[in-house]
Amino acid sequence: MALIFVTSNRHKFEEASELAARHGIELEHRDTPYIETQADELEHVVRPGAQQACALLKAPCFVEDAGLFIRALRGFPGPYSNYVFHTLGNEGVLKLMGGKSDRRAEFRSAIGYCEPGQRPEVFTGKVEGTIAHEPKGTRGFGFDPVFVASEGNGRTFAEMSTSEKNRLSHRARALETFFRWYKQRKKA
Ligand code: ITT
């Protein structure tokens, strides 16, 4: 039986599917509209999110929430990344970073997995990097053109293929931990 990933973002689904296939797991995409709680910690967003999506679908499923945390902006946009991306966009973020010499940032990801009648499980991942001075690359989505991963040879995520991004990314790291746990659980 396929494992359901509830997300409105097809790029996230593509990244997760590529990684899942390496674990022999088949993913199914659902865009079930669950309410995303606003909270300072991503973990506090995905726990109720997974529970709600699971109750709507009456089936095991997972949700994922991600954010870009910029050190010189004291962690902004963090849990508000979605809103900020859709209002200010990459150009707006680069403007906010104008004149800042400390360009360190990290992407964080939290996954919430829930089975009917059970409490949700949470898995997290992060990747460190810097904010570029200008957008580069055409792949990926969201803040990918302005995020240079520390281990990415100076390239932005938008200059990488899905499999390259999946070797480093916050989401890939959270998914790896989750898929390993999930396979053990299925065996038990
Ligand atoms: P969901 O339906 O799964 O919530 P979403 O697109 O709303 O999908 P998030 O709330 O998790 O995604 O992400 C917040 C924003 O952060 C999102 O709109 C992107 O712009 C950005 N973002 C998240 N992950 C990213 C990634 O891997 N690369 C670039 N930007 C990312």
Side-chain angles (χ1 to χ4, degrees), residues 9-98:
N9 187 323
R10 68 177 178 84
H11 300 280
K12 282 188 181 185
F13 183 75
E14 277 162 25
E15 290 180 8
S17 296
E18 203 244 17
L19 214 63
R22 290 193 227 159
H23 284 267
I25 297 170
E26 191 195 336
L27 291 192
E28 182 180 332
H29 185 199
R30 295 281 181 92
D31 190 0
T32 312
Y34 66 94
I35 296 162
E36 249 182 44
T37 317
Q38 276 293 357
D40 286 346
E41 302 285 339
L42 300 181
E43 288 88 329
H44 298 156
V45 178
V46 295
R47 214 177 274 281
Q51 208 156 18
Q52 204 195 122
C54 176
L56 290 167
L57 291 170
K58 299 184 176 58
C61 63
F62 73 97
V63 303
E64 190 254 5
D65 199 44
L68 178 64
F69 295 72
I70 302 176
R71 201 180 278 226
L73 306 180
R74 295 185 190 164
F76 185 82
Y80 311 104
S81 292
N82 199 2
Y83 181 71
V84 169
F85 182 73
H86 288 106
T87 50
L88 303 180
N90 283 323
E91 289 301 331
V93 168
L94 291 179
K95 271 203 192 113
L96 289 176
M97 290 301 287

Side-chain angles (χ1 to χ4, degrees), residues 15 66-68 90 105-109 126-132 134-173:
E15 290 180 8
L68 178 64
N90 283 323
E106 64 183 34
F107 261 126
R108 294 183 201 157
S109 161
K126 65 179 179 177
V127 55
E128 289 176 2
T130 52
I131 301 297
E134 57 186 18
K136 277 194 197 140
T138 53
R139 292 161 147 170
F141 67 99
F143 298 112
D144 279 345
V146 298
F147 184 80
V148 180
S150 301
E151 299 154 62
N153 296 327
R155 287 172 307 155
T156 68
F157 271 166
E159 294 179 291
M160 295 181 186
S161 65
T162 301
S163 64
E164 280 177 294
K165 184 178 170 188
N166 268 346
R167 277 200 279 275
L168 305 174
S169 86
H170 51 311
R171 177 166 306 104
R173 287 173 177 164

